[in-house]
């Protein structure tokens, strides 16, 4: 796999945009809330512009890792500060920057402990960016932990429903995942005998025996699977989504769950391809159970946030199914689905957050006829729900279509079962739309104003992204395939 280094450290610049933003916020007086919001918007905007540039500037005909940066950090342990971008992580860097920027705008009206909130928010995003772009196992693990720890105070202080329970449960689950990933990293480091944490060198070496790969794969899959919401390790996810404040729910479901799926892809599959092939059937079974389970449980929920949360469990199962097919189209679809689901679920959580802020309820039975009271705010949720149902024209359609086609070829029975769950998903989303937006209006909310242009802006951006990649899917597919095809060609037979 080619590695192209760059003269200007674009990837480090993305990290610095978060770090400098974080430091500026920390040194500002807490009472300067307006200034803190603007600094957050400016520095998240810089990260977004850099990510868009990398997405457009990546040479799809060349493929491989581009914009690479590598500096020896600790010679005795073979640790490098090593970043790179390819078709696997560029969509997720773009996703993170979009959700980061729109999350800042979504929380523009926050008045409680604004300084602490945005400081922790930037720290969380710094860890996420670092995890996606790093190519050194040591730094991958460090960034992974950096992205997890801010979640606890963010939910505990600014959360809502059962926030103490949700924060503690999420923290313990994700800590358990971290505890499984670390032994696998150290095991491969020792067994390689190369004294390096360089992911590319370890991947190329081919020194790991089939047994070592099968064993390490299980640890990686379970550790990252917790964060990815793999059934039955998902139980922290709906609780955490519901308890978190709006922009953290957006990051939580939109981006953090992708860390889990991407960790399985980048570490488990890249380093242990024989383990991937050995455990693929089991991965597919768990993925399909998650797809069906999430859809069925979502059908019975009465809280809007729980509906979106369980739909995330179902949609992340589709990512898992794509990863288990061991095909080019399956991997294409899995990465595309990570991006599309991240944008879609961020839109849904931001919409639910707006209704909750105004009405102080998330119960479907209390929210009736909202499309008459708040037509624009309702439209954003409905568009997100249509994307979640896989309606053509949205990015999610192409991602799910690709995965289901590849799964029918690899696992015909499981593929049919997964596709049938789409009917259930459509049913529970239509039920929510009918009862919440077109049911009998609740007079208690008849005086509430519709969403303003400023607060609607982040939702417009998210809808625009879903439509852009839904109408022009090759913008994303060509990028992903530039890395997937050579990777699959070099797999051990």
């Amino acid at each position: 796999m080619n590695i192209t280094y760059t003269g200007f450290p674009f990837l480090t610049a993305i990290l610095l945009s978060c770090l400098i933003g974080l430091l500026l916020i920390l040194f500002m007086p807490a009472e300067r809330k307006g200034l803190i919001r603007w600094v957050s918007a400016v520095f998240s905007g810089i990260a977004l512009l850099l990510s868009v540039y990398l997405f457009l500037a990546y040479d799809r005909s060349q493929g491989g890792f581009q914009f690479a940066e590598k500096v020896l950090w600790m010679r005795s342990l073979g640790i490098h500060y090593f970043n790179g971008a390819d078709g696997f992580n560029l969509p997720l860097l773009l996703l993170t920057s979009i959700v980061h920027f729109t999350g800042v705008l979504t929380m523009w009206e926050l008045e409680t402990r604004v300084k602490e909130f945005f400081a922790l928010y930037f720290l969380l995003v710094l860890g996420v960016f670092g995890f996606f772009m790093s190519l050194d196992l040591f730094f991958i693990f460090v960034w992974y932990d950096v992205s997890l720890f801010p979640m606890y105070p963010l939910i505990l202080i600014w959360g809502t429903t059962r926030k103490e329970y949700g924060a503690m449960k999420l923290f313990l689950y994700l800590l358990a995942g971290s505890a499984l990933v670390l032994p696998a990293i150290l095991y491969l480091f020792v067994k390689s005998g190369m004294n390096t944490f360089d992911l590319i060198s370890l991947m190329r070496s081919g020194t790991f025996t089939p047994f070592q790969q099968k064993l390490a794969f299980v640890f990686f899959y379970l550790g990252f699977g917790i964060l990815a919401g793999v059934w039955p390790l998902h139980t922290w996810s709906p609780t955490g989504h519901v308890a978190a404040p709006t922009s953290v729910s957006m990051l939580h479901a939109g981006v953090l769950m992708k860390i889990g799926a991407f960790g399985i892809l980048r570490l488990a599959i890249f380093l242990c391809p024989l383990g991937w092939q050995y455990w693929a059937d089991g991965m597919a079974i768990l993925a399909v159970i998650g797809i069906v389970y999430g859809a069925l449980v979502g059908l019975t929920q009465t809280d809007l946030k729980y509906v979106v949360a369980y739909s995330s469990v179902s949609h992340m199962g589709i990512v898992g199914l794509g990863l288990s097919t061991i095909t080019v189209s399956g991997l294409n679809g899995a990465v595309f689905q990570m991006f599309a689901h991240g944008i879609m679920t961020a839109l849904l959580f931001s919409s639910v957050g707006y209704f909750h802020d105004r009405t102080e309820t998330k119960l479907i039975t209390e929210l009736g006829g909202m499309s008459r009271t708040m037509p624009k705010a309702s439209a954003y949720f409905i568009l997100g729900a249509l994307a979640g149902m896989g309606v053509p024209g949205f990015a999610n359609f192409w991602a799910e279509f690709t995965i289901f086609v590849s799964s029918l070829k690899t696992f015909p029975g499981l593929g049919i079962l997964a596709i049938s769950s789409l009917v259930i998903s459509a049913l529970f989303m239509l039920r929510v739309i009918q009862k919440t937006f077109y049911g009998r209006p609740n007079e208690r909310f008849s005086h509430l104003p519709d969403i303003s242009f400023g607060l609607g802006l982040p939702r417009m951006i998210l809808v625009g992204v879903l439509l852009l990649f839904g109408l022009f899917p090759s913008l994303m597919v060509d990028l992903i395939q530039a890395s997937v095809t050579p990777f699959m060609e070099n797999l051990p037979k």
Side-chain angles (χ1 to χ4, degrees):
M1 194 171 286
N2 299 327
I3 301 179
T4 306
Y5 293 88
T6 182
F8 184 81
F10 288 100
L11 295 170
T12 297
I14 292 176
L15 295 177
L16 286 176
S17 70
C18 293
L19 184 60
I20 294 171
L22 167 63
L23 293 175
L24 286 175
I25 292 169
L26 286 177
F27 285 106
M28 285 181 187
E31 60 271 17
R32 298 292 301 274
K33 296 177 182 177
L35 184 59
I36 292 170
R37 294 188 190 101
W38 276 107
V39 166
S40 302
V42 167
F43 282 89
S44 61
I46 292 171
L48 175 59
L49 290 176
L50 288 168
S51 299
V52 171
Y53 171 77
L54 293 180
F55 183 83
L56 296 175
Y58 183 85
D59 187 344
R60 288 155 171 76
S61 62
Q62 181 182 341
F65 288 98
Q66 299 177 25
F67 315 108
E69 309 155 351
K70 190 173 186 178
V71 178
L72 182 60
W73 189 65
M74 187 178 289
R75 187 182 299 279
S76 60
L77 288 175
I79 299 173
H80 296 80
Y81 174 76
F82 187 15
N83 297 325
D86 64 353
F88 289 108
N89 66 356
L90 259 179
L92 299 176
L93 292 174
L94 182 64
L95 165 68
T96 305
S97 64
I98 293 171
V99 177
H100 181 201
F101 180 68
T102 55
V104 169
L105 299 183
T106 299
M107 297 301 285
W108 204 257
E109 292 185 332
L110 179 72
E111 292 292 341
T112 306
R113 302 176 72 170
V114 176
K115 174 178 174 174
E116 292 94 329
F117 178 85
F118 282 111
L120 287 167
Y121 187 75
F122 267 69
L123 179 62
L124 190 160
V125 175
L126 176 68
V128 174
F129 273 130
F131 180 86
F132 284 143
M133 67 177 65
S134 183
L135 299 176
D136 183 280
L137 293 182
F138 175 82
F139 273 100
I140 287 175
F141 183 75
V142 170
W143 289 125
Y144 178 65
D145 281 344
V146 169
S147 69
L148 299 185
F149 285 113
M151 289 298 294
Y152 182 77
L154 280 168
I155 294 177
L156 188 66
I157 299 172
W158 292 274
T160 52
T161 312
R162 301 174 70 198
K163 59 184 183 181
E164 293 87 0
Y165 173 71
M168 182 58 73
K169 185 174 184 181
L170 177 144
F171 186 74
L172 292 177
Y173 264 70
L174 301 189
L175 201 62
S178 173
L180 287 168
V181 169
L182 182 59
I185 289 175
L186 296 176
Y187 177 72
L188 292 183
F189 172 78
V190 172
K191 291 299 178 183
S192 73
M194 297 168 63
N195 192 41
T196 182
F197 286 94
D198 183 334
L199 184 141
I200 305 302
S201 298
L202 291 171
M203 187 180 73
R204 285 174 172 167
S205 69
T207 58
F208 302 121
T209 66
F211 172 77
Q212 290 166 351
Q213 294 191 38
K214 292 173 189 174
L215 180 62
F217 187 93
V218 171
F219 278 82
F220 280 135
Y221 181 74
L222 294 177
F224 287 119
I226 292 175
L227 192 49
V230 171
W231 186 92
L233 308 172
H234 68 283
T235 60
W236 64 272
S237 167
T239 310
H241 291 338
V242 172
T246 300
S247 66
V248 177
S249 291
M250 292 167 66
L251 269 177
H252 193 183
V255 177
L256 274 180
M257 292 183 84
K258 310 307 175 294
I259 284 185
F262 185 74
I264 293 172
L265 174 60
R266 189 66 108 194
L267 271 68
I269 293 177
F270 265 49
L271 292 173
C272 311
L274 295 177
W276 179 35
Q277 294 164 10
Y278 182 79
W279 294 108
D281 291 352
M283 287 174 62
I285 292 171
L286 292 180
V288 172
I289 292 175
I291 294 170
V292 176
Y293 168 84
L296 286 174
V297 177
L299 190 62
T300 63
Q301 299 304 306
T302 56
D303 184 307
L304 268 181
K305 265 197 167 183
Y306 269 115
V307 172
V308 181
Y310 278 105
S311 80
S312 288
V313 173
S314 183
H315 283 104
M316 287 304 293
I318 297 175
V319 174
L321 183 61
L323 292 178
S324 65
T325 60
I326 316 184
T327 61
V328 170
S329 58
L331 286 189
N332 276 341
V335 178
F336 199 173
Q337 172 73 352
M338 289 186 216
F339 175 82
H341 174 259
I343 300 293
M344 180 271 292
T345 200
L347 174 61
L348 288 176
F349 273 118
S350 70
S351 299
V352 174
Y354 181 80
F355 290 118
H356 183 241
D357 290 343
R358 296 298 183 277
T359 64
E360 297 184 348
T361 182
K362 304 187 297 293
L363 293 177
I364 297 170
T365 51
E366 295 184 5
L367 294 167
M370 297 306 292
S371 63
R372 298 185 195 175
T373 310
M374 302 179 185
K376 286 184 283 189
S378 302
Y380 294 127
F381 185 94
I382 293 170
L383 287 170
L386 291 175
M389 285 189 278
V391 171
F394 293 97
N396 307 68
F397 168 78
W398 294 107
E400 294 177 10
F401 180 78
T402 308
I403 291 173
F404 288 138
V405 168
S406 60
S407 68
L408 284 174
K409 294 177 182 175
T410 312
F411 308 106
L414 292 174
I416 292 171
L417 193 58
I419 293 170
S420 65
S421 73
L422 291 180
V423 178
I424 305 171
S425 297
L427 191 61
F428 76 68
M429 279 299 183
L430 289 173
R431 166 180 160 267
V432 168
I433 291 173
Q434 194 275 327
K435 288 184 175 296
T436 307
F437 302 105
Y438 295 101
R440 186 176 180 181
N442 188 333
E443 295 301 326
R444 190 153 57 98
F445 308 132
S446 60
H447 67 286
L448 294 175
D450 200 358
I451 193 168
S452 64
F453 176 81
L455 288 177
L457 181 61
R459 282 88 174 177
M460 290 180 214
I461 294 171
L462 295 170
V463 171
V465 172
L466 287 174
L467 290 172
L468 174 66
F469 290 103
L471 296 175
F472 305 100
S474 59
L475 288 173
M476 185 62 76
V477 173
D478 291 350
L479 169 70
I480 300 169
Q481 188 145 342
S483 292
V484 170
T485 301
F487 172 71
M488 292 298 291
E489 288 173 350
N490 291 321
L491 277 181
K493 306 300 180 187

